[in-house]
Amino acid sequence: MAIKLICSDIDGTLLQYGKKELEGEIFEQIRALHEKGIIFCPASGRQYTSLRKLFALVADCCVFLCENGGVIYKDEQCIAKNPIPRALAEEIANDLWTRSNGQGEVMLSGQNTVYLMERGMGMLKRVRFIGNHYEIIHSPADVPEDIVKVAVYLHEGSGLYADRFVPRWNKVVNCAVAGPFWIDTTLANKGLGVKSICRALGFDLSEVMAFGDNYNDVSMLDIVGLPYIMKTAAEPLLKKYPNHTARPEDVLCDFLLKSAEL
């Protein structure tokens, strides 16, 4: 079956950690895909403001899966939102704050604003680096809108706290390590986000290609027709998915060349 949608995680996949801007090659590829009727989807824990800025040159060719599936944007409009029940979101945030040994900083995501409970450990610098629209708060109760994601930034490394938070909260929400310094919790996940997009656009999941590098990408990679995992991923993920790549752009290059031959 032909591919109609290509989803890619951003940090650690399309954008290597520490980099702020994408290279020109991917924009040319997204345009070429669009000309063939194939939609590109940045699929990330980032908010829409950050993703829209990152893909400004080709935003008209994209549908945006934001906040790990908590918010979906297309043509500048929010077409789907999956908030966490308010009391549960506040309970998770307070737990991440109080049980991280004074090292964790908490980020609560609304539709297009992140609300930060910070300790000066590096989260604010990271949020500014990726270009999120943000506000500083002192309590989860200060968030004035629906909460679609609760994340904790751990400057010592997310791996040190994964066993503390992931098993506990994974029983009621989707909780996963989302990078070297983040653990995310959402009611949605990237898989749910991809399903929402496919329903809205009339695509079958078998018509989707996806790229990821971490455990918060598993729900997406498990349901699509053609999943790819980055070669830098953890060993269990490399064993789980047979298609490995060092760069999504390399796969897309081959895909476009083969498409041109048909």
Side-chain angles (χ1 to χ4, degrees), residues 17-243:
Y17 292 116
K19 287 191 175 182
K20 191 173 184 178
E21 304 291 341
L22 293 168
E23 302 295 335
E25 180 183 9
I26 187 63
F27 299 131
E28 296 170 4
Q29 291 175 333
I30 292 172
R31 283 285 180 202
L33 291 167
H34 182 69
E35 291 173 2
K36 295 178 178 295
I38 301 168
I39 296 175
F40 188 82
C41 173
S44 175
R46 293 189 183 208
Q47 68 173 200
Y48 178 63
T49 293
S50 174
L51 289 177
R52 177 64 175 76
K53 187 181 301 182
L54 198 60
F55 289 88
L57 295 176
V58 291
D60 59 315
C61 303
C62 299
V63 58
F64 294 89
L65 189 160
C66 317
E67 305 292 3
N68 287 336
V71 182
I72 308 295
Y73 270 85
K74 187 177 188 298
D75 299 325
E76 308 292 346
Q77 301 295 318
C78 176
I79 63 172
K81 184 166 64 170
N82 299 291
I84 305 172
R86 182 62 184 229
L88 177 58
E90 292 190 17
E91 182 183 0
I92 294 169
N94 285 322
D95 183 64
L96 297 176
W97 179 262
T98 58
R99 291 202 307 122
S100 54
N101 300 338
Q103 304 301 306
E105 302 181 279
V106 174
M107 180 174 74
L108 301 99
S109 299
Q111 181 173 311
N112 199 28
T113 299
V114 292
Y115 301 88
L116 309 179
M117 296 169 60
E118 56 109 17
R119 288 183 162 113
M121 300 289 185
M123 178 180 64
L124 181 56
K125 181 179 179 180
R126 175 61 183 168
V127 166
R128 287 172 172 166
F129 178 81
I130 64 177
N132 277 354
H133 178 251
Y134 69 90
E135 293 183 18
I136 304 296
I137 61 171
H138 301 289
S139 164
D142 295 338
V143 178
E145 59 172 306
D146 288 338
I147 298 169
V148 298
K149 185 179 76 175
V150 183
V152 60
Y153 176 86
L154 299 150
H155 73 102
E156 298 174 301
S158 53
L160 295 175
Y161 293 84
D163 290 343
R164 180 175 304 188
F165 293 124
V166 174
R168 176 174 183 174
W169 290 113
N170 225 7
K171 296 174 183 177
V172 290
V173 292
N174 298 296
C175 182
V177 171
F181 305 104
W182 295 95
I183 295 174
D184 289 354
T185 64
T186 59
L187 191 62
N189 56 40
K190 291 185 181 180
L192 179 61
V194 171
K195 289 179 181 178
S196 298
I197 293 169
C198 285
R199 281 195 301 268
L201 302 181
F203 298 158
D204 191 272
L205 290 169
S206 64
E207 299 173 316
V208 182
M209 177 192 298
F211 300 91
D213 79 310
N214 221 317
Y215 290 100
N216 66 329
D217 299 314
V218 167
S219 62
M220 173 176 68
L221 298 176
D222 277 354
I223 64 170
V224 302
L226 190 54
Y228 281 85
I229 194 74
M230 295 294 286
K231 289 182 178 180
T232 53
E235 189 63 29
L237 295 177
L238 293 172
K239 290 181 179 179
K240 182 177 176 68
Y241 303 106
N243 297 319

